[in-house]
Amino acid sequence: MTDRKTLANAIRFLSMDAVQAANSGHPGAPMGMADIAEVLWRDALRHNPANPNWSNRDRFVLSNGHGSMLIYALLHLTGYDVTIDDLKQFRKLGSRTPGHPEFGYTAGVETTTGPLGQGLANAVGMALAERTLAAQFNQDGFPLVDHMTYCFVGDGCLMEGVSHEACSLAGTLGLGKLVVFYDDNGISIDGDVRGWFSDDTPARFESYGWQVIRGVDGHDPDEIQIALKTARETTERPTLICCRTVIGFGSPNLAGSEKTHGAPLGVDEIQATRDALGWTAAPFEVPDEVASAWDARARGQALESEWNALFEGYAKAHPQLAAEYERRMAGQLPDGALTALDEAIKQSQSDSPKLATRKASQNAIELVAGQFPELFGGSADLGHSNLTVWSNAEANSIQNPGGNYMHYGVREFGMCALMNGVALHGGLLPFGGTFLIFMEYARNAVRMAALMQQKVIYVFTHDSIGLGEDGPTHQPIEQLSSLRATPGLETWRPCDTTETFVAWREAVAAKTPTALALSRQGLENQPRDAETLAQVARGGYILKDSEGAPECILIATGSEVGLAMDAAAQLGTSVRVVSMPSTSRFDAQDPSYRDQVLPPSCTKRVAIEAGHPDQWFKYVGLSGDVIGMNSFGESGAGPQVMAHFGFTVEHVIERVRAL
């Protein structure tokens, strides 16, 4: 029987060889964490390499994603569709083994990691999703949803603020099926971390309510085994296993040094490491007996077959729940849900009073919640300002693990990173709210949702200087531009109730993330006929047309659409008003439609938005004009602040006539 050190060395040498072949990468972490990974993946992890999407698999997240060769080696060794050729293509353009693990590129990679700390927060979201779905679906004798979430983290992950946000919440929620291994090697890129990271990390996690297992020798399989058994037996709180390791373990001259962190060891040092660890196989070769001991395909198939038999019995006893579970995990929309939303959109056009779009959004959420049982809402301690709470929402907690609403606390970054984990797990449709300005705290998690193309909905309220008295610290200026510039993220800034309902309808129908920018102040519902109503979903449309070809076009979003309509009424019948709630959706329309809305022959165009103006010049051209914000805002009553910065009918007319 192959000894455990030899099995772990297979990870080490595949990692060293791939980094050397790429002349780029991070060998130190895989070398240091190989023994922990061997115990976890061979003794505990329940997964099926032949079906990486088996819904009840254990989730594994490598939060310190720079050590990506660790997970690539594990996936190859255990039998996933990751070949030796894939490892030889490590970090090369178009390969299935990119520099950091990327969701969708490599079979078995659960989430994209690299921005430190976020993988840990994703893992918290996955564990939260597991417990929520277990409470919603499991029945006596049928533990349908019953899996663990494991996460590897390094010093860098635990320095990042998002780790505090996510792990504090995980402790409060008592997520007992979450186990985190801390690779405590004391080294980061700049060297020994004691000069900048002197936290008592175990005490910190104990204060969060975690079980902490201290002082584990990360190179002793027996100690790791005992710690893992203890962690798995504790179900009322998450566990942190603190493993002392040596970065670059096995390297005679570089082990324990930051020099192994982010650079190849070199041919001579790799050979010296081979000699020191007794590894005689050639580069990228794994001895047959080692490969056989690692192969997890037969065990994985048996585990999934056992669960399939459980599901078959579950489906007979609870057919409706079984069908609902399958629908949710497949990401399919509920039957008739979009039809119900379409009817609500038509109804909103005929009888909507003046409302803030945040309130219109709450009305839409009420409808969505009735159609989508998977809806999983929340807010970063602003539920009654964002208006994200609906009438039948139930707070998720230790006492109510099946609740469909999360009180995330003042943790914007943690909230958005957790939502990514919830979405990646499957079975729930997460949305979360905060003020648009505080999107900045969560910016990288929003970007990661777009990068991974995860269906997450952001309810960003208080969308402009129109929020008023809270002043420039709370008044967004550049945030809309930032969101719109994010590839793969669709951003909507609706002007009234109808556009808000359309935005929600498009968000729940999408397969990608959506940001909604919503007003604090009340907005009149704009008049539309059936044809105009049908064009709202195209992102930009003619709300009020001119008589004949337009001499001037006003383009506006959100609260400024009403301003554009008022100005057009005074400017006369030669002015067209275009509402553009989603620039990305409008840009995706065919050229003939775009030219119909914004005819090239009409060059006198003015865009109006209480945000940064630069992006609007692609619509108005260099000969057009933009009424926007080139400064921060001011504190004062909303209407007065808007007037102060030129968002008045008189100023719009003045700028139009200047053209």
Side-chain angles (χ1 to χ4, degrees):
M1 181 177 177
T2 306
D3 69 275
R4 306 199 78 139
K5 282 294 182 186
T6 301
L7 295 174
N9 285 341
I11 299 172
R12 292 188 172 100
F13 286 102
L14 286 175
S15 299
M16 281 184 268
D17 292 340
V19 171
Q20 187 65 37
N23 196 31
S24 173
H26 302 76
M31 295 169 70
M33 299 188 78
D35 297 301
I36 307 169
E38 187 272 329
V39 172
L40 173 63
W41 277 63
R42 293 189 66 253
D43 290 0
L45 197 72
R46 294 170 58 86
H47 62 120
N48 183 7
N51 182 14
N53 296 318
W54 171 34
S55 67
N56 200 47
R57 68 193 180 277
D58 289 343
R59 269 59 170 182
F60 173 78
V61 175
L62 181 67
S63 187
N64 43 346
H66 54 270
S68 56
M69 266 311 303
L70 174 70
I71 192 168
Y72 297 150
L74 285 165
L75 293 170
H76 168 72
L77 289 166
T78 54
Y80 285 79
D81 185 19
V82 178
T83 67
I84 282 291
D85 285 339
D86 290 325
L87 302 187
K88 290 179 178 179
Q89 294 299 308
F90 177 55
R91 287 187 161 233
K92 291 183 170 58
L93 184 64
S95 78
R96 295 195 294 173
T97 49
H100 289 79
E102 292 189 42
F103 177 79
Y105 276 67
T106 316
V109 169
E110 300 281 3
T111 182
T112 300
T113 56
L116 293 179
Q118 283 196 68
L120 173 55
N122 294 167
V124 174
M126 293 174 186
L128 173 60
E130 188 275 343
R131 192 179 71 173
T132 302
L133 290 169
Q136 293 179 359
F137 284 98
N138 289 359
Q139 301 294 314
D140 289 344
F142 295 103
L144 190 68
V145 183
D146 182 19
H147 67 77
M148 302 292 293
T149 300
Y150 298 102
C151 184
F152 282 5
V153 302
D155 294 297
C157 290
L158 299 187
M159 290 184 220
E160 290 285 1
V162 71
S163 75
H164 297 253
E165 295 184 25
C167 294
S168 169
L169 189 56
T172 299
L173 294 171
L175 298 178
K177 289 186 177 179
L178 173 64
V179 177
V180 176
F181 289 87
Y182 170 29
D183 179 34
D184 183 11
N185 62 34
I187 296 293
S188 64
I189 293 176
D190 282 350
D192 191 319
V193 301
R194 286 174 294 185
W196 48 87
F197 185 50
S198 59
D199 301 15
D200 186 342
T201 297
R204 171 187 148 197
F205 275 78
E206 286 169 345
S207 77
Y208 293 153
W210 287 52
Q211 172 181 233
V212 176
I213 302 174
R214 300 172 179 242
V216 176
D217 183 344
H219 301 297
D220 185 332
D222 294 333
E223 286 195 29
I224 299 165
Q225 250 185 341
I226 293 168
L228 183 55
K229 183 175 184 292
T230 302
R232 287 165 55 86
E233 290 173 348
T234 301
T235 58
E236 72 277 4
R237 53 186 175 152
T239 298
L240 179 73
I241 302 176
C242 301
C243 297
R244 299 188 310 272
T245 63
V246 177
I247 191 172
F249 180 90
S251 171
N253 302 302
L254 298 176
S257 165
E258 70 275 9
K259 292 178 181 178
T260 69
H261 172 84
L265 299 185
V267 174
D268 292 343
E269 187 63 19
I270 291 176
Q271 185 58 53
T273 307
R274 275 183 157 77
D275 296 341
L277 294 179
W279 186 264
T280 58
F284 291 108
E285 287 187 6
V286 179
D288 290 344
E289 66 274 13
V290 174
S292 178
W294 266 109
D295 192 340
R297 286 173 290 187
R299 177 174 177 268
Q301 189 59 57
L303 288 169
E304 185 173 356
S305 295
E306 180 184 344
W307 183 86
N308 286 339
L310 174 74
F311 185 80
E312 185 177 343
Y314 180 86
K316 290 178 180 177
H318 308 283
Q320 290 182 324
L321 280 174
E324 175 66 6
Y325 178 80
E326 288 186 307
R327 179 191 70 78
R328 288 212 215 167
M329 295 308 294
Q332 297 171 349
L333 300 180
D335 290 342
L338 295 186
T339 301
L341 289 172
D342 289 337
E343 289 302 314
I345 290 167
K346 293 177 184 176
Q347 188 67 25
S348 74
Q349 185 58 56
S350 63
D351 62 359
S352 292
K354 182 177 182 178
L355 286 179
T357 52
R358 62 171 175 159
K359 178 59 181 174
S361 171
Q362 185 179 45
N363 294 343
I365 291 169
E366 285 280 356
L367 179 63
V368 169
Q371 298 294 321
F372 289 79
E374 61 265 44
L375 194 67
F376 191 69
S379 175
D381 202 49
L382 287 168
H384 296 289
S385 290
N386 302 142
L387 302 184
T388 50
V389 182
W390 66 97
S391 58
N392 293 322
E394 294 185 8
N396 192 293
S397 65
I398 292 176
Q399 296 75 26
N400 185 26
N404 55 8
Y405 190 85
M406 277 298 302
H407 292 284
Y408 288 102
V410 188
R411 300 181 178 99
E412 295 88 357
F413 196 178
M415 173 182 72
C416 292
L418 256 74
M419 288 197 296
N420 288 346
V422 169
L424 286 158
H425 180 281
L428 296 169
L429 172 56
F431 79 85
T434 186
F435 291 169
L436 177 56
I437 191 69
F438 299 137
M439 176 278 293
E440 296 289 353
Y441 282 133
R443 183 69 185 88
N444 200 257
V446 175
R447 183 179 190 270
M448 294 299 286
L451 181 62
M452 294 187 286
Q453 293 294 273
Q454 290 303 295
K455 187 173 179 176
V456 178
I457 301 172
Y458 307 101
V459 178
F460 293 137
T461 69
H462 296 60
D463 67 346
S464 75
I465 59 172
L467 68 88
E469 291 86 351
D470 280 337
T473 61
H474 285 53
Q475 294 169 358
I477 301 297
E478 70 276 26
Q479 285 67 35
L480 275 168
S481 295
S482 175
L483 291 170
R484 288 172 178 149
T486 304
L489 173 69
E490 192 152 79
T491 300
W492 292 81
R493 187 177 183 234
C495 76
D496 62 7
T497 295
T498 297
E499 285 192 358
T500 304
F501 270 54
V502 171
W504 263 104
R505 191 261 188 213
E506 297 305 304
V508 298
K511 296 184 181 297
T512 53
T514 302
L516 308 177
L518 306 167
S519 73
R520 179 194 187 196
Q521 67 272 37
L523 304 177
E524 296 284 357
N525 217 52
Q526 298 296 329
R528 300 174 184 87
D529 58 23
E531 181 181 359
T532 305
L533 183 62
Q535 292 177 339
V536 176
R538 303 186 80 164
Y541 63 100
I542 301 168
L543 179 61
K544 176 186 179 299
D545 208 358
S546 57
E547 292 183 3
E551 294 181 12
C552 177
I553 300 175
L554 301 181
I555 310 168
T557 76
S559 52
E560 289 74 74
V561 169
L563 173 61
M565 291 288 280
D566 291 342
Q570 294 192 31
L571 283 165
T573 59
S574 62
V575 176
R576 171 180 291 180
V577 177
V578 170
S579 177
M580 197 175 289
S582 175
T583 57
S584 59
R585 179 64 67 89
F586 179 74
D587 291 346
Q589 303 305 306
D590 59 87
S592 63
Y593 177 78
R594 296 199 305 269
D595 287 348
Q596 175 190 337
V597 175
L598 298 175
S601 59
C602 182
T603 59
K604 294 180 180 178
R605 305 178 185 180
V606 178
I608 313 166
E609 184 176 69
H612 200 278
D614 280 6
Q615 287 186 335
W616 288 105
F617 284 99
K618 71 175 180 178
Y619 301 110
V620 302
L622 296 180
S623 60
D625 194 7
V626 180
I627 301 173
M629 292 292 298
N630 284 299
S631 68
F632 294 115
E634 294 285 350
S635 179
Q640 294 176 353
V641 174
M642 293 291 279
H644 175 77
F645 286 101
F647 294 95
T648 64
V649 170
E650 294 75 20
H651 189 231
V652 172
I653 292 172
E654 177 186 337
R655 297 279 280 267
V656 168
R657 288 177 174 164
L659 290 178

